[in-house]
Short mmCIF file of all heavy atoms in Angstrom, two decimals:
data_model
loop_
_atom_site.label_atom_id
_atom_site.label_comp_id
_atom_site.label_asym_id
_atom_site.label_seq_id
_atom_site.Cartn_x
_atom_site.Cartn_y
_atom_site.Cartn_z
N GLU A 1 3.17 9.70 5.51
CA GLU A 1 4.35 8.87 5.74
C GLU A 1 5.10 8.56 4.45
O GLU A 1 4.53 8.52 3.38
CB GLU A 1 3.94 7.55 6.40
CG GLU A 1 3.08 6.66 5.50
CD GLU A 1 2.78 5.31 6.13
OE1 GLU A 1 3.66 4.76 6.80
OE2 GLU A 1 1.65 4.82 5.93
N MET A 2 6.40 8.34 4.60
CA MET A 2 7.23 7.88 3.48
C MET A 2 7.38 6.37 3.61
O MET A 2 7.80 5.87 4.66
CB MET A 2 8.61 8.55 3.53
CG MET A 2 8.57 10.07 3.45
SD MET A 2 8.24 10.65 1.77
CE MET A 2 9.80 10.24 1.00
N LEU A 3 7.02 5.65 2.57
CA LEU A 3 7.05 4.19 2.62
C LEU A 3 8.40 3.66 2.16
O LEU A 3 8.91 4.07 1.12
CB LEU A 3 5.95 3.60 1.74
CG LEU A 3 4.50 3.97 2.09
CD1 LEU A 3 3.55 3.32 1.09
CD2 LEU A 3 4.16 3.54 3.50
N ASP A 4 8.96 2.72 2.94
CA ASP A 4 10.15 2.04 2.45
C ASP A 4 9.71 0.93 1.49
O ASP A 4 8.53 0.60 1.38
CB ASP A 4 10.99 1.47 3.59
CG ASP A 4 10.21 0.52 4.50
OD1 ASP A 4 9.45 -0.31 3.96
OD2 ASP A 4 10.34 0.61 5.73
N ALA A 5 10.67 0.35 0.77
CA ALA A 5 10.35 -0.62 -0.28
C ALA A 5 9.61 -1.84 0.27
O ALA A 5 8.67 -2.35 -0.35
CB ALA A 5 11.63 -1.06 -0.99
N GLU A 6 10.01 -2.29 1.47
CA GLU A 6 9.39 -3.49 2.04
C GLU A 6 7.94 -3.24 2.41
O GLU A 6 7.06 -4.06 2.13
CB GLU A 6 10.19 -3.94 3.26
CG GLU A 6 9.67 -5.22 3.90
CD GLU A 6 10.47 -5.66 5.11
OE1 GLU A 6 11.48 -4.97 5.43
OE2 GLU A 6 10.11 -6.67 5.72
N THR A 7 7.68 -2.10 3.05
CA THR A 7 6.31 -1.77 3.45
C THR A 7 5.42 -1.58 2.22
O THR A 7 4.28 -2.04 2.18
CB THR A 7 6.30 -0.49 4.30
OG1 THR A 7 7.14 -0.66 5.44
CG2 THR A 7 4.88 -0.15 4.75
N GLU A 8 5.97 -0.89 1.23
CA GLU A 8 5.23 -0.65 -0.01
C GLU A 8 4.83 -1.98 -0.66
O GLU A 8 3.70 -2.14 -1.13
CB GLU A 8 6.11 0.15 -0.96
CG GLU A 8 5.51 0.41 -2.32
CD GLU A 8 6.50 1.10 -3.24
OE1 GLU A 8 6.78 2.29 -3.01
OE2 GLU A 8 7.00 0.44 -4.17
N LEU A 9 5.75 -2.93 -0.66
CA LEU A 9 5.49 -4.23 -1.27
C LEU A 9 4.39 -4.98 -0.51
O LEU A 9 3.50 -5.58 -1.12
CB LEU A 9 6.78 -5.06 -1.28
CG LEU A 9 6.82 -6.27 -2.23
CD1 LEU A 9 6.64 -5.81 -3.67
CD2 LEU A 9 8.14 -7.01 -2.07
N LYS A 10 4.43 -4.94 0.82
CA LYS A 10 3.41 -5.60 1.62
C LYS A 10 2.03 -5.01 1.36
O LYS A 10 1.04 -5.74 1.25
CB LYS A 10 3.76 -5.49 3.11
CG LYS A 10 4.96 -6.33 3.54
CD LYS A 10 5.23 -6.16 5.02
CE LYS A 10 6.41 -7.02 5.47
NZ LYS A 10 6.73 -6.83 6.91
N LEU A 11 1.97 -3.68 1.26
CA LEU A 11 0.69 -3.03 1.00
C LEU A 11 0.16 -3.39 -0.39
O LEU A 11 -1.04 -3.63 -0.57
CB LEU A 11 0.84 -1.51 1.12
CG LEU A 11 1.17 -0.98 2.51
CD1 LEU A 11 1.43 0.52 2.46
CD2 LEU A 11 0.04 -1.28 3.50
N ALA A 12 1.06 -3.44 -1.36
CA ALA A 12 0.65 -3.77 -2.72
C ALA A 12 0.11 -5.20 -2.80
O ALA A 12 -0.90 -5.46 -3.47
CB ALA A 12 1.84 -3.60 -3.68
N TYR A 13 0.79 -6.13 -2.12
CA TYR A 13 0.30 -7.52 -2.10
C TYR A 13 -1.05 -7.61 -1.39
O TYR A 13 -1.95 -8.34 -1.82
CB TYR A 13 1.31 -8.42 -1.40
CG TYR A 13 2.41 -8.94 -2.29
CD1 TYR A 13 3.75 -8.71 -1.98
CD2 TYR A 13 2.12 -9.67 -3.44
CE1 TYR A 13 4.77 -9.17 -2.81
CE2 TYR A 13 3.13 -10.15 -4.26
CZ TYR A 13 4.45 -9.89 -3.94
OH TYR A 13 5.45 -10.36 -4.76
N ALA A 14 -1.18 -6.86 -0.29
CA ALA A 14 -2.43 -6.91 0.48
C ALA A 14 -3.61 -6.42 -0.36
O ALA A 14 -4.71 -6.97 -0.29
CB ALA A 14 -2.29 -6.07 1.75
N TRP A 15 -3.37 -5.39 -1.17
CA TRP A 15 -4.45 -4.88 -2.02
C TRP A 15 -4.72 -5.83 -3.19
O TRP A 15 -5.87 -6.15 -3.48
CB TRP A 15 -4.11 -3.49 -2.54
CG TRP A 15 -5.05 -3.02 -3.61
CD1 TRP A 15 -4.77 -2.73 -4.90
CD2 TRP A 15 -6.47 -2.81 -3.48
NE1 TRP A 15 -5.89 -2.36 -5.59
CE2 TRP A 15 -6.97 -2.39 -4.74
CE3 TRP A 15 -7.38 -2.94 -2.42
CZ2 TRP A 15 -8.30 -2.10 -4.96
CZ3 TRP A 15 -8.72 -2.65 -2.64
CH2 TRP A 15 -9.17 -2.23 -3.90
N ARG A 16 -3.67 -6.30 -3.85
CA ARG A 16 -3.87 -7.15 -5.02
C ARG A 16 -4.50 -8.50 -4.65
O ARG A 16 -5.42 -8.96 -5.33
CB ARG A 16 -2.53 -7.41 -5.72
CG ARG A 16 -2.70 -8.11 -7.09
CD ARG A 16 -1.40 -8.63 -7.64
NE ARG A 16 -0.88 -9.76 -6.83
CZ ARG A 16 0.21 -10.45 -7.16
NH1 ARG A 16 0.91 -10.10 -8.22
NH2 ARG A 16 0.63 -11.46 -6.40
N ASP A 17 -4.03 -9.10 -3.58
CA ASP A 17 -4.45 -10.46 -3.25
C ASP A 17 -5.66 -10.51 -2.31
O ASP A 17 -6.47 -11.42 -2.40
CB ASP A 17 -3.29 -11.24 -2.62
CG ASP A 17 -2.11 -11.36 -3.57
OD1 ASP A 17 -2.30 -11.22 -4.79
OD2 ASP A 17 -0.98 -11.59 -3.09
N GLU A 18 -5.73 -9.53 -1.40
CA GLU A 18 -6.80 -9.56 -0.39
C GLU A 18 -7.85 -8.49 -0.60
O GLU A 18 -8.86 -8.47 0.09
CB GLU A 18 -6.18 -9.39 1.02
CG GLU A 18 -4.99 -10.27 1.30
CD GLU A 18 -5.33 -11.75 1.30
OE1 GLU A 18 -6.51 -12.05 1.50
OE2 GLU A 18 -4.42 -12.57 1.07
N ARG A 19 -7.60 -7.57 -1.55
CA ARG A 19 -8.47 -6.39 -1.74
C ARG A 19 -8.64 -5.67 -0.41
O ARG A 19 -9.76 -5.25 -0.04
CB ARG A 19 -9.82 -6.77 -2.34
CG ARG A 19 -9.75 -7.64 -3.58
CD ARG A 19 -8.76 -7.15 -4.61
NE ARG A 19 -9.23 -6.05 -5.40
CZ ARG A 19 -8.51 -5.44 -6.34
NH1 ARG A 19 -7.26 -5.84 -6.56
NH2 ARG A 19 -8.99 -4.44 -7.02
N ASP A 20 -7.54 -5.52 0.30
CA ASP A 20 -7.52 -4.85 1.60
C ASP A 20 -7.59 -3.34 1.37
O ASP A 20 -6.61 -2.70 0.97
CB ASP A 20 -6.23 -5.23 2.34
CG ASP A 20 -6.18 -4.66 3.76
OD1 ASP A 20 -6.93 -3.70 4.04
OD2 ASP A 20 -5.39 -5.16 4.57
N GLU A 21 -8.75 -2.75 1.63
CA GLU A 21 -8.94 -1.33 1.36
C GLU A 21 -8.09 -0.45 2.27
O GLU A 21 -7.70 0.66 1.88
CB GLU A 21 -10.42 -0.96 1.50
CG GLU A 21 -11.30 -1.60 0.44
CD GLU A 21 -12.71 -1.09 0.45
OE1 GLU A 21 -13.00 -0.19 1.28
OE2 GLU A 21 -13.53 -1.56 -0.36
N ALA A 22 -7.79 -0.91 3.47
CA ALA A 22 -6.93 -0.14 4.37
C ALA A 22 -5.52 -0.04 3.78
O ALA A 22 -4.87 1.01 3.87
CB ALA A 22 -6.88 -0.80 5.75
N ALA A 23 -5.05 -1.13 3.17
CA ALA A 23 -3.73 -1.12 2.54
C ALA A 23 -3.73 -0.18 1.34
O ALA A 23 -2.77 0.58 1.13
CB ALA A 23 -3.34 -2.53 2.11
N LEU A 24 -4.81 -0.20 0.55
CA LEU A 24 -4.92 0.69 -0.60
C LEU A 24 -4.92 2.15 -0.14
O LEU A 24 -4.22 3.00 -0.72
CB LEU A 24 -6.19 0.39 -1.38
CG LEU A 24 -6.52 1.35 -2.53
CD1 LEU A 24 -5.45 1.27 -3.62
CD2 LEU A 24 -7.90 1.06 -3.11
N HIS A 25 -5.69 2.44 0.89
CA HIS A 25 -5.77 3.81 1.42
C HIS A 25 -4.40 4.30 1.87
O HIS A 25 -4.00 5.43 1.58
CB HIS A 25 -6.75 3.83 2.60
CG HIS A 25 -6.86 5.18 3.25
ND1 HIS A 25 -7.65 6.18 2.76
CD2 HIS A 25 -6.26 5.68 4.36
CE1 HIS A 25 -7.54 7.25 3.53
NE2 HIS A 25 -6.70 6.97 4.51
N ARG A 26 -3.66 3.44 2.54
CA ARG A 26 -2.34 3.83 3.02
C ARG A 26 -1.38 4.06 1.86
O ARG A 26 -0.58 5.01 1.88
CB ARG A 26 -1.80 2.73 3.94
CG ARG A 26 -0.51 3.11 4.67
CD ARG A 26 -0.10 2.00 5.61
NE ARG A 26 1.23 2.23 6.15
CZ ARG A 26 1.91 1.34 6.87
NH1 ARG A 26 1.35 0.14 7.13
NH2 ARG A 26 3.11 1.61 7.32
N LEU A 27 -1.46 3.21 0.84
CA LEU A 27 -0.59 3.35 -0.33
C LEU A 27 -0.90 4.64 -1.09
O LEU A 27 0.01 5.39 -1.47
CB LEU A 27 -0.77 2.13 -1.25
CG LEU A 27 0.23 1.93 -2.39
CD1 LEU A 27 1.62 1.67 -1.83
CD2 LEU A 27 -0.20 0.75 -3.26
N ILE A 28 -2.18 4.90 -1.31
CA ILE A 28 -2.60 6.11 -2.03
C ILE A 28 -2.21 7.37 -1.26
O ILE A 28 -1.68 8.34 -1.81
CB ILE A 28 -4.12 6.11 -2.27
CG1 ILE A 28 -4.51 4.99 -3.24
CG2 ILE A 28 -4.60 7.45 -2.81
CD1 ILE A 28 -4.00 5.16 -4.63
N THR A 29 -2.45 7.35 0.05
CA THR A 29 -2.14 8.51 0.88
C THR A 29 -0.66 8.83 0.86
O THR A 29 -0.25 10.00 0.78
CB THR A 29 -2.60 8.26 2.33
OG1 THR A 29 -4.01 8.02 2.34
CG2 THR A 29 -2.30 9.46 3.20
N ALA A 30 0.17 7.80 0.91
CA ALA A 30 1.62 8.01 0.95
C ALA A 30 2.13 8.66 -0.33
O ALA A 30 3.10 9.43 -0.29
CB ALA A 30 2.33 6.68 1.19
N TYR A 31 1.49 8.35 -1.46
CA TYR A 31 2.00 8.87 -2.73
C TYR A 31 1.15 9.98 -3.32
O TYR A 31 1.37 10.38 -4.47
CB TYR A 31 2.15 7.71 -3.74
CG TYR A 31 3.35 6.86 -3.42
CD1 TYR A 31 3.20 5.61 -2.84
CD2 TYR A 31 4.63 7.33 -3.65
CE1 TYR A 31 4.31 4.84 -2.51
CE2 TYR A 31 5.74 6.57 -3.33
CZ TYR A 31 5.57 5.33 -2.76
OH TYR A 31 6.67 4.57 -2.43
N MET A 32 0.20 10.51 -2.53
CA MET A 32 -0.59 11.62 -3.02
C MET A 32 0.27 12.86 -3.21
O MET A 32 -0.01 13.71 -4.06
CB MET A 32 -1.75 11.90 -2.04
CG MET A 32 -2.84 12.78 -2.64
SD MET A 32 -3.62 12.00 -4.08
CE MET A 32 -4.24 13.44 -4.95
N ARG A 33 1.34 12.98 -2.42
CA ARG A 33 2.25 14.11 -2.60
C ARG A 33 2.87 14.10 -3.99
O ARG A 33 3.09 15.15 -4.59
CB ARG A 33 3.35 14.10 -1.54
CG ARG A 33 4.27 12.91 -1.61
CD ARG A 33 5.57 13.15 -0.85
NE ARG A 33 5.36 13.37 0.56
CZ ARG A 33 5.22 12.39 1.46
NH1 ARG A 33 5.26 11.13 1.06
NH2 ARG A 33 5.04 12.66 2.71
#
């Protein structure tokens, strides 16, 4: 998937503040390309 700025920001906050591994996985997967 291509992440828009808002979704990207939510995922980044979820990983930084909650250590949400699902959010990290989604962020990494989106930018692996």
